[in-house]
Amino acid sequence: MTASPTMTVIALGAHVLDTLVSAVETIPESQGGQLVDRIKTTAAGPAGGTALVLAKLGATTRSAGAIGTDALGDQLLALLARDGVDTSLLLRRSDAQTSASVVPVRPDGSHPTFHVVGTNGDYGPDDAPWEAIAAATHLHLGAPELMGGAAATKILSFAREHGVTTSVDCIVPGEPGWLDWIADCLPYVDHLLPNDDQVLGWTGADDVVVGCRALLARGVGCVAATAGPAGAVVVTADGEHTVPAFAADVVDTTGCGDSFSAGYLRGLSLGQEPAEAAVLGCATAAQVVAGLGTDHGDFDLASVQAFAATAPTLREG
């Protein structure tokens, strides 16, 4: 698990095509209509969105998962490839549609989500690209809950056996049953990347650090939990660190978690300790939250590093 500036990552699991509508204050009743400022599609999901941003940050990024043979799948492939993601490991299935979401974004950047699981619900160890995983430096598994802990364990343990750094991000809400569903795979996760609501809900804790420590007790190596404008909390066996968010004009929060994950993982590949990598994660999220969709922003690793070194942060009080 050595640092690799020339990071090669397999982003495996949930790939989603997001259609974002901005800005939406209310949903019209009956057959009413409403003019909006913008409608946009982007690659997204805890695997797809993270892959996209990692590619922008200079990592060699390969997407692995399942998408449909429909037009949505064609568009998702094109959007990933446009931003430099290798899509050759994505399987195409004709028996289900490509996973997709419609996201009406409110003026404050928050949003509900209308989602179809689609092909993401039919991908597991039998589909995994074992040789590509073994040749990678990092494996990022998005939404292991869709395949279950036992299936995810087969993939993550294989990566570990081949010296590959592992990370996991989930999309399910903070409900205790979900943690039990994926518990088998947690000892094979080097870096778990939840949000604060997930940590508290999964563990029943009333404090994020306490909840993160409960996840470490389940076998996770490090927990880096995002907390919106409060930044991120990083907890390892050696201690905990709070990393503030950077000041940004919030347009859309849909890509924040995935962009944090990408920046954090890229930082690790450069040899940074988790707390330092979380700074790069927060800086990357600040680029994406300022516009619509996970693919917002014309940035690269150097520009995000420069931003992190000079931009003001949000601090309580």
Side-chain angles (χ1 to χ4, degrees):
M1 301 179 191
T2 57
S4 175
T6 55
M7 178 185 196
T8 300
V9 57
I10 305 295
L12 184 149
H15 287 71
V16 181
L17 183 70
D18 273 1
T19 299
L20 303 115
V21 185
S22 178
V24 178
E25 295 187 7
T26 60
I27 303 295
E29 296 183 2
S30 185
Q31 298 187 60
Q34 179 179 321
L35 292 177
V36 295
D37 296 327
R38 193 174 182 195
I39 297 175
K40 176 184 178 181
T41 57
T42 178
T50 304
L52 185 155
V53 181
L54 274 166
K56 285 188 172 186
L57 294 175
T60 299
T61 309
R62 306 187 74 184
S63 276
I67 63 174
T69 55
D70 50 12
L72 297 177
D74 294 342
Q75 189 171 12
L76 182 53
L77 283 176
L79 289 169
L80 288 167
R82 183 196 65 187
D83 282 314
V85 178
D86 179 343
T87 63
S88 61
L89 300 177
L90 284 172
L91 306 178
R92 303 207 68 172
R93 302 261 167 83
S94 60
D95 55 349
Q97 76 158 81
T98 298
S99 180
S101 295
V102 175
V103 186
V105 182
R106 301 184 183 98
D108 66 355
S110 65
H111 56 86
T113 302
F114 303 92
H115 181 65
V116 174
V117 173
T119 48
N120 282 335
D122 186 29
Y123 186 89
D126 290 343
D127 303 307
W130 301 109
E131 290 185 6
I133 293 171
T137 60
H138 293 68
L139 170 70
H140 179 67
L141 177 53
E145 64 272 21
L146 294 177
M147 64 177 71
T153 295
K154 294 179 181 179
I155 298 172
L156 291 166
S157 62
F158 175 86
R160 274 278 195 85
E161 290 168 2
H162 288 80
V164 179
T165 299
T166 62
S167 56
V168 162
D169 184 16
C170 298
I171 55 176
V172 292
E175 298 175 359
W178 286 113
L179 186 61
D180 292 336
W181 176 242
I182 64 169
D184 289 351
C185 78
L186 296 179
Y188 303 96
V189 178
D190 294 320
H191 301 272
L192 183 62
L193 302 166
N195 60 46
D196 52 350
D197 288 337
Q198 289 172 323
V199 171
L200 297 176
W202 290 342
T203 65
D206 57 7
D207 176 84
V208 175
V209 171
V210 173
C212 289
R213 293 212 168 278
L215 293 169
L216 293 187
R218 294 273 196 144
V220 175
C222 172
V223 181
T226 55
V233 175
V234 179
V235 180
T236 69
D238 297 326
E240 62 268 354
H241 301 270
T242 299
V243 178
F246 287 91
D249 293 328
V250 178
V251 173
D252 171 29
T253 62
T254 56
C256 286
D258 298 335
S259 55
F260 171 85
S261 294
Y264 175 83
L265 296 173
R266 190 68 177 106
L268 294 177
S269 78
L270 299 172
Q272 296 177 354
E273 293 298 319
E276 187 181 3
V279 174
L280 189 62
C282 288
T284 306
Q287 313 306 305
V288 174
V289 77
L292 191 63
T294 307
D295 63 356
H296 172 76
D298 183 13
F299 58 84
D300 58 15
L301 177 61
S303 65
V304 176
Q305 288 174 319
F307 175 89
T310 60
T313 60
L314 299 174
R315 296 185 181 275
E316 293 185 0

